Amino acid sequence: MSTPLRVIHLFANLNLGGAESRIMDLYRSQNEKELINNFVIMTNEHCHFTDEVLASGGTIHTIVNPRGQLLRNLWQLYQLLKNGEKYDAIHAHTSYYSGIAVFIAWLAGIKARVTHARNQQTGNETFKTKLLFKTGKWLANHFATSKLAISSALWRVFIWR
């Protein structure tokens, strides 16, 4: 019997959103002999899907939100990926933060690193946000092994070829 593929999905939270709902569809249908999906979120709040994941024996890791605690957030993510359960892949569903996450995953030795862009902008156009968005795009293009976007227009905005 082969070892199942282990994927960790990175979200801001596990509330009732489009991306979260689609991954939960995948989670519900997983064959744990072939695939195990776990989660890392950046909130301590009780989320919509928390009880379902925990009741089915799933794992939800929590790290601090990067807003106001970016360095601590990055360190916690690195520690989780490097020293926690061993994952074959990370799938980051967090727009520009996805680039930062796949860089951290690369440092931690995760072989498959997927970014998933869903937003063209953050709604907060401060210098800091613009810098993080551009940095995230650059990191995604250099450290992601796969890049996904929900539309071709978003692909052109978020991902350089």
Side-chain angles (χ1 to χ4, degrees):
M1 177 196 282
S2 64
T3 304
L5 181 67
R6 300 180 63 78
V7 179
I8 190 159
H9 294 272
L10 174 66
F11 288 106
N13 58 58
L14 273 178
N15 285 325
L16 195 57
E20 296 85 350
S21 296
R22 295 304 66 78
I23 295 302
M24 284 303 297
D25 291 341
L26 174 67
Y27 178 80
R28 290 180 195 109
S29 66
Q30 73 186 3
N31 176 345
E32 291 187 358
K33 293 179 182 175
E34 297 176 10
L35 175 67
I36 296 173
N37 291 287
N38 286 334
F39 304 92
V40 58
I41 60 174
M42 298 179 280
T43 182
N44 286 321
E45 73 179 61
H46 185 84
C47 300
H48 181 83
F49 293 115
T50 299
D51 293 337
E52 180 180 356
V53 170
L54 296 178
S56 66
T59 302
I60 302 171
H61 301 280
T62 302
I63 60 176
V64 299
N65 191 296
R67 289 187 177 101
Q69 297 187 67
L70 181 59
L71 293 178
R72 184 170 175 218
N73 165 277
L74 298 176
W75 180 249
Q76 287 179 344
L77 180 60
Y78 175 78
Q79 289 295 312
L80 171 66
L81 298 176
K82 183 71 175 174
N83 301 319
E85 298 175 62
K86 297 302 175 201
Y87 291 101
D88 300 294
I90 184 170
H91 187 165
H93 303 264
T94 50
S95 293
Y96 68 84
Y97 182 85
S98 292
I100 298 167
V102 295
F103 171 66
I104 296 298
W106 175 79
L107 289 174
I110 305 295
K111 300 290 184 217
R113 301 172 302 275
V114 180
T115 59
H116 206 149
R118 291 186 170 79
N119 300 318
Q120 294 184 26
Q121 56 194 18
T122 64
N124 180 359
E125 296 304 311
T126 65
F127 174 77
K128 179 181 176 183
T129 301
K130 288 179 185 179
L131 179 64
L132 286 172
F133 195 82
K134 287 191 182 296
T135 301
K137 284 171 56 171
W138 188 89
L139 290 168
N141 282 291
H142 288 84
F143 293 98
T145 56
S146 297
K147 298 172 274 190
L148 305 172
I150 61 169
S151 71
S152 57
L154 184 57
W155 177 263
R156 287 188 295 276
V157 169
F158 190 74
I159 305 296
W160 294 300
R161 294 197 174 121

